[in-house]
Amino acid sequence: MLPRAPALLLLLAALVGCSAAARLAVNGMDLTYNGEKVFLIGSSLAYNNYGNDFGNGADSTTLETWVQEISEAGGNSVRVFTHADGYSTPAFDDLGYVTACDLTGDFESDILHFLDVAQENNLLVTLVMWNGWSTNQIGMGLILEDDKLDSYIENCLNSLITTIKGHPALAAFESVTEPEASFLIEASVEPCYDTTMLGNNGGGWMGNNIPIERYLNFIARQNAAVRAIDPETLITVGAWNQFSASDAFSNTRNYYKDECLVLASGSEGSVLDFYQLHTLSLEGHWTENAPFTVDAEDYLLDKPLVLGSFSSVCSENNTLGELFTYAYEHGYSGGWSWQYSADDDCSDTPETQQQYLSVLEGRTDHGTVDIVVG
C-alpha cells in the first residue's frame, strides 16, 4: 500500500491544476496582462445617462451596445462613470450621510453585469466613481467631512468592491476625475497643499474652493478601502493635465505622488498604481509640455502613465490615429479617446473613434493591444 500524500502536497497539486484569472498589473514602468506588456486603447465612454447609468433601475442597453462597438472596432479598454455628481447614487439621508449605494439595491449588481459584458467583449474597465466638476453640495460633504466619507465607504464602496473583486474585466479604480476643477487655490508651506502654481495654469475653475488637503484625503481613503478588499485592482486618478501630476517642469507639481496621498490620509495603502493625464488643446495648440509634445519619461514619474482623455477635435489638427500612435510610440501605457457619447465640443463622434481604434492592431513593439480578457 502506497503511503498517503501529505495534505499540503495534495493542496499544491490541486492549485497547480487551477489557474486564476489574469488581471491588469504593473511591472516597473509597464502595464501587463497575463505577464505580457500591454497598451490600453479605447474610449472614455464616459456615460449615456449622466450619473444615472447604474442603480435605481437604470437601463444599461446603450452602454452594452457601445462596449460591443468599441470591441469590434479594435479597442481593448474603456473608462466609465458611476456616481458622477452623486445626484442619483449613492443614497443619502437628510443629513448627507450615505445609507446605501442606491435606493433599489441594484447598483452593485449593475456594475457586476457591466463587467460581465465587458469581459464577453474582451474589454478591460476602469471605474470612475466621482466627477471633480460637481457642484452637488450633498456630495461635497463626503470630501469635507470624514464621518460622511466613512458612511460612503462603509455603506457603499466596501459593498461594491466586495461584489466585483477579482473580476477579470476590472482593470482599475479611479476615485475621481479632474478634481483640480474644485481645488481652492492657496499658498501653503507644505508643497503637497500649495496650489498657487496650479491656479496660475487655470485650476480651480469651478469655484468650489475645496482645500486640496481635503480632496487628497477623499481620494486616498477610497484608494485604501479598495486596496484592503481587492489588492489586485489597480488604482489611478484622472488628473486634469500635466500641471497637476508631474514635478518635472517649473510650472508643474505632482499632487498625486505617494508622499502627498500618504500625508493626507496617513495610509500607505492610499497610493496610485499608475498615473493618468488628460489633455486638450487650447485655441488649437497644445499647452506647454502637454503629453503629445513630450515622451512619457520626460515627466520623471515612477509609475506607468496612461492618457485618459483626448480628442482630435481639440488637438493641433491631429487625427485620432496619429494621437493613439504617438502615445504608443512615446512611452505611454495607454490612451482613451474622449468621449463615446460625444455630447460636448471636445468629443469626437463614435464613428470617428471607431475608425481609428484599430490603428495599432497587431502591433507588439511597444506592448500588445490584442488582449483576451479572462
Side-chain angles (χ1 to χ4, degrees):
M1 183 175 182
L2 294 175
R4 298 176 68 183
L8 178 59
L9 293 180
L10 292 175
L11 176 60
L12 291 174
L15 290 175
V16 169
C18 300
S19 58
R23 301 290 301 278
L24 188 70
V26 171
N27 183 10
M29 295 297 293
D30 299 325
L31 292 179
T32 65
Y33 193 81
N34 225 2
E36 184 177 14
K37 179 180 177 179
V38 297
F39 180 87
L40 302 180
I41 183 171
S43 174
S44 288
L45 285 180
Y47 49 81
N48 172 41
N49 186 6
Y50 181 76
N52 293 275
D53 284 326
F54 303 103
N56 294 326
D59 183 357
S60 63
T61 304
T62 298
L63 285 181
E64 292 175 26
T65 298
W66 291 353
V67 162
Q68 183 176 359
E69 291 174 352
I70 289 168
S71 174
E72 291 176 349
N76 62 23
S77 52
V78 293
R79 287 172 77 230
V80 63
F81 285 23
T82 61
H83 300 309
D85 286 2
Y87 283 113
S88 177
T89 67
F92 291 92
D93 66 17
D94 292 340
L95 297 177
Y97 290 86
V98 173
T99 59
C101 280
D102 69 328
L103 295 173
T104 62
D106 296 326
F107 184 83
E108 297 96 317
S109 59
D110 283 356
I111 297 289
L112 180 62
H113 174 69
F114 182 80
L115 292 172
D116 288 340
V117 172
Q119 181 181 357
E120 292 168 3
N121 287 276
N122 285 319
L123 290 185
L124 298 172
V125 176
T126 292
L127 296 177
V128 184
M129 306 309 293
W130 301 94
N131 186 1
W133 293 51
S134 175
T135 57
N136 182 2
Q137 295 299 314
I138 294 178
M140 287 183 199
L142 306 185
I143 307 171
L144 297 171
E145 300 180 46
D146 283 342
D147 56 347
K148 290 181 178 177
L149 178 58
D150 287 341
S151 74
Y152 169 66
I153 292 172
E154 294 167 4
N155 296 323
C156 179
L157 184 59
N158 286 348
S159 174
L160 171 65
I161 301 304
T162 299
T163 300
I164 64 177
K165 68 179 180 180
H167 198 291
L170 178 57
F173 171 87
E174 182 179 330
S175 60
V176 63
T177 184
E178 302 192 1
E180 302 88 350
S182 293
F183 285 174
L184 173 66
I185 304 303
E186 62 178 348
S188 173
V189 295
E190 169 51 59
C192 289
Y193 302 153
D194 187 336
T195 53
T196 53
M197 185 179 302
L198 186 61
N200 292 336
N201 291 292
W205 64 91
M206 291 299 295
N208 292 327
N209 294 325
I210 297 175
I212 188 174
E213 179 178 359
R214 295 305 312 169
Y215 230 127
L216 291 179
N217 176 73
F218 173 73
I219 293 167
R221 292 193 55 224
Q222 289 181 78
N223 293 351
V226 170
R227 189 166 276 123
I229 295 172
D230 185 1
E232 291 187 336
T233 291
L234 301 186
I235 306 289
T236 189
V237 69
W240 167 47
N241 55 31
Q242 70 278 7
F243 298 123
S244 61
S246 169
D247 289 328
F249 304 102
S250 61
N251 63 346
T252 66
R253 176 165 294 167
N254 187 357
Y255 297 103
Y256 307 114
K257 57 191 173 186
D258 293 359
E259 65 186 79
C260 292
L261 290 170
V262 172
L263 176 66
S265 66
S267 171
E268 296 290 337
S270 63
V271 302
L272 306 182
D273 291 300
F274 67 91
Y275 290 103
Q276 180 195 150
L277 293 184
H278 301 172
T279 187
L280 298 171
S281 61
L282 182 64
E283 296 180 349
H285 299 284
W286 298 118
T287 54
E288 184 179 4
N289 302 313
F292 292 110
T293 67
V294 300
D295 292 346
E297 65 181 16
D298 293 331
Y299 291 118
L300 303 180
L301 299 171
D302 58 349
K303 301 174 183 182
L305 176 58
V306 172
L307 303 183
S309 178
F310 55 88
S311 68
S312 68
V313 292
C314 286
S315 68
E316 285 192 349
N317 200 30
N318 305 106
T319 67
L320 264 186
E322 290 171 339
L323 298 177
F324 281 131
T325 301
Y326 186 100
Y328 183 76
E329 294 179 349
H330 288 262
Y332 299 94
S333 293
W336 296 311
S337 53
W338 179 259
Q339 61 171 320
Y340 205 71
S341 53
D343 70 345
D344 64 43
D345 293 339
C346 277
S347 299
D348 287 306
T349 66
E351 293 75 19
T352 297
Q353 294 178 64
Q354 291 171 31
Q355 178 183 354
Y356 290 107
L357 282 171
S358 62
V359 68
L360 302 176
E361 184 176 4
R363 290 190 64 171
T364 59
D365 48 318
H366 296 283
T368 186
V369 296
D370 300 324
I371 298 172
V372 177
V373 177

